[in-house]
Amino acid sequence: MDRRTFIGTVGTGAAGLLAGCGGTGDTTTSTTGSTTEQTTTQTTTEGDASYTVSMAPMGDVTFDSAPTSWVANNGSYADMGLALGLEEPKALWLTSRWHTQYYDAIDGVSADKSDMLSLYQDGVSKERYYALAEGEENHVHVQDPNFLMNRFKGWSESDVEEVTENLGPFFGNSIFSRGYAWHEDYQYYTLYEAFEKVAQLFQRTERYEAFASLHEEFQSGLDFVPTSDAERPQVAVLWASGNEPTSFLPYLVNEGTSFKQWRDMNVRDALAETSVKDFHSSRGSIDYETLLKIDPEYLLLRGHEAQTAEEFENTVVSFMEDHETGSELTAVQNGNVYRGGPLYQGPISNLVLTERAASQLYGVDEQLFDRQRVADIANGDL
């Protein structure tokens, strides 16, 4: 297999690497994650507090203490960091796709992106990575190295190994999607499996466990979601660019974390019942005529998370209502066109988005999770 396509283990620089020399966090003993491999091994030798965490595709990564400085791939991991009470990462692939307005309704939870670099826009060069790690003795890149190499042509495996050896290890998995061609041979992680890995990395497993308990309680309250095929809502998840969309990028609902709220709502994917290919693998689009042939009950449009529901309705929905073909769509006629959620979500934003999805699809008009409990956990009040 082409080495740019898949790194089975970025281990030449990562496995056995002792990253950092100081840091604080929730003290934890050895734990085993929900995936099959051993996830954390903590040494007991006097004077040595190093620990090893395993995550595909890197394999085993060893730290001598919890990292105090980090770069994250996307908003999924930034949200996990917020849930664990960490400082914001220094950079994301695209800061605009970490939608921090989700936290506005949760007193005591907030994020500041004002000083954060957007790697894809500000530079993905090795020099940029050196600048981000300058002066830091305990730095980690919570990024999937395969995403970096396959989504940006300037990086090779040797670059990843150099950055790992000189600046700090990579530790991340592209959990949001399962559609990339280079992603076919991956070990996949659910949102909470990946969250547990990150908690082990930063030695804050007590907060992870508290969130996992809250999430389980939250899930048990979704008893209004239908289980019979006849009652399941038929949806199409599409990316609609701009306020006057004339074509759409199709996203088939899969096990990636970006669809978690829709899977939890037990939707029926209208696109999966057609020959339409997922955008991640095809890079293709569909027009109104194709969409009309499919004619799903609900349209869930991505690309508009920066808008309020009212702004979305006054722009995108209004345009579709006036469009010659768009106005014929069942979802448009029945008022069932909604914002479809982001590409990236973590444990906090998932609670917000799932509650919103319950309102969109089932008209549930109540709070489904304890805001104060979310803030307490994130702030270390366990």
Side-chain angles (χ1 to χ4, degrees):
M1 184 174 293
D2 189 302
R3 69 200 294 264
R4 277 186 51 80
T5 301
F6 180 75
I7 301 178
T9 303
V10 187
T12 56
L17 177 69
L18 294 178
C21 60
T24 59
D26 300 340
T27 300
T28 178
T29 58
S30 300
T31 59
T32 300
S34 51
T35 51
T36 56
E37 84 272 16
Q38 183 73 23
T39 59
T40 303
T41 302
Q42 192 153 357
T43 65
T44 56
T45 304
E46 186 175 354
D48 182 3
S50 67
Y51 58 96
T52 298
V53 189
S54 181
M55 188 180 202
M58 292 74 50
D60 290 342
V61 184
T62 299
F63 303 86
D64 66 8
S65 60
T68 55
S69 170
W70 63 307
V71 168
N73 200 73
N74 55 48
S76 300
Y77 290 109
D79 186 283
M80 293 178 195
L82 188 66
L84 295 173
L86 302 174
E87 293 290 328
E88 293 87 351
K90 290 187 172 184
L92 296 175
W93 189 255
L94 282 171
T95 60
S96 61
R97 291 185 181 175
W98 183 22
H99 301 287
T100 56
Q101 72 272 16
Y102 297 146
Y103 313 127
D104 290 347
I106 306 175
D107 289 340
V109 176
S110 62
D112 182 4
K113 299 191 295 181
S114 59
D115 295 327
M116 190 180 298
L117 286 177
S118 188
L119 290 171
Y120 190 69
Q121 295 169 328
D122 297 327
V124 198
S125 66
K126 280 192 296 183
E127 290 75 18
R128 177 68 65 186
Y129 276 71
Y130 274 87
L132 288 167
E134 185 176 4
E136 302 292 349
E137 296 181 349
N138 202 349
H139 189 68
V140 67
H141 308 93
V142 184
Q143 297 180 292
D144 186 333
N146 287 328
F147 179 91
L148 183 61
M149 289 189 296
N150 285 277
R151 295 293 291 140
F152 189 78
K153 294 181 179 179
W155 280 71
S156 66
E157 187 172 344
S158 63
D159 295 320
V160 170
E161 292 171 353
E162 177 190 333
V163 168
T164 296
E165 186 68 33
N166 294 336
L167 306 179
F170 284 83
F171 189 87
N173 183 292
S174 294
I175 59 174
F176 71 94
S177 171
R178 298 192 177 182
Y180 289 117
W182 53 266
H183 211 197
E184 292 177 353
D185 296 330
Y186 258 44
Q187 175 180 345
Y188 294 113
Y189 297 90
T190 66
L191 175 60
Y192 272 77
E193 286 172 346
F195 184 27
E196 182 178 29
K197 301 283 189 182
V198 173
Q200 291 166 351
L201 161 66
F202 287 104
Q203 295 286 271
R204 299 199 173 195
T205 56
E206 291 181 2
R207 300 190 204 208
Y208 158 77
E209 290 166 357
F211 262 104
S213 178
L214 175 64
H215 176 254
E216 184 177 350
E217 179 182 339
F218 173 68
Q219 291 280 299
S220 69
L222 303 180
D223 52 6
F224 54 84
V225 176
T227 56
S228 70
D229 287 342
E231 296 178 302
R232 294 170 62 201
Q234 185 199 48
V235 311
V237 180
L238 307 162
W239 188 283
S241 296
N243 289 331
E244 298 181 354
T246 55
S247 65
F248 306 88
L249 307 181
Y251 285 81
L252 274 65
V253 177
N254 60 39
E255 293 299 313
T257 59
S258 74
F259 298 104
K260 183 179 181 334
Q261 78 273 38
W262 304 122
R263 292 196 307 274
D264 290 345
M265 292 296 102
N266 199 25
V267 300
R268 176 182 155 202
D269 185 4
L271 298 179
E273 301 170 1
T274 73
S275 60
V276 172
K277 302 298 183 183
D278 184 83
F279 172 72
H280 279 136
S281 60
S282 70
R283 316 309 285 183
S285 64
I286 60 175
D287 57 18
Y288 276 106
E289 285 70 22
T290 301
L291 193 54
L292 183 58
K293 291 177 183 178
I294 303 169
D295 201 23
E297 296 173 344
Y298 292 83
L299 289 176
L300 307 173
L301 304 184
R302 288 177 160 175
H304 296 273
E305 293 304 304
Q307 293 178 310
T308 65
E310 183 179 8
E311 290 169 341
F312 177 75
E313 291 168 3
N314 291 338
T315 54
V316 178
V317 176
S318 179
F319 173 78
M320 295 179 75
E321 289 172 340
D322 293 335
H323 190 275
E324 181 179 1
T325 306
S327 61
E328 298 181 36
L329 291 165
T330 297
V332 174
Q333 293 179 349
N334 292 342
N336 290 330
V337 181
Y338 299 107
R339 291 169 297 163
L343 288 176
Y344 312 122
Q345 57 181 296
I348 300 178
S349 51
N350 172 251
L351 294 172
V352 175
L353 291 163
T354 307
E355 184 179 270
R356 191 178 84 180
S359 174
Q360 292 169 332
L361 297 184
Y362 302 116
V364 176
D365 187 21
E366 61 183 271
Q367 291 190 357
L368 300 179
F369 67 93
D370 186 341
R371 270 76 169 155
Q372 187 59 53
R373 182 60 179 148
V374 170
D376 287 346
I377 298 171
N379 292 312
D381 185 4
L382 306 180

